[in-house]
Amino acid sequence: MAADDRLEDDELARRLREAHRRVRMLPAADKERIARRYLSICDLAKHDPKRAALRLDVFLAALDEPPDTPRSAENAPGD
């Protein structure tokens, strides 16, 4: 393994650890679905680190977005 490849793998590992911390902090209702997605990225990282890094980018961006509540404008306060 070339030294450059090792540096890329270290960066991917660091980002996967950060994603794990963020998933662990989620409410239970969201955690199971998102944790499965995270585990699939971890599995992919074993076989195709470059593709896993791309999927991790999308995954982290989705974690940054506020939850989607498509009908929130229709609900009265307290509903």
Side-chain angles (χ1 to χ4, degrees), residues 39-64:
L39 288 173
S40 71
I41 294 170
C42 290
D43 188 49
L44 181 61
K46 297 174 190 175
H47 307 288
D48 190 352
K50 291 185 190 310
R51 190 165 163 222
L54 293 173
R55 286 187 62 190
L56 184 58
D57 288 338
V58 173
F59 178 75
L60 291 172
L63 284 179
D64 289 336

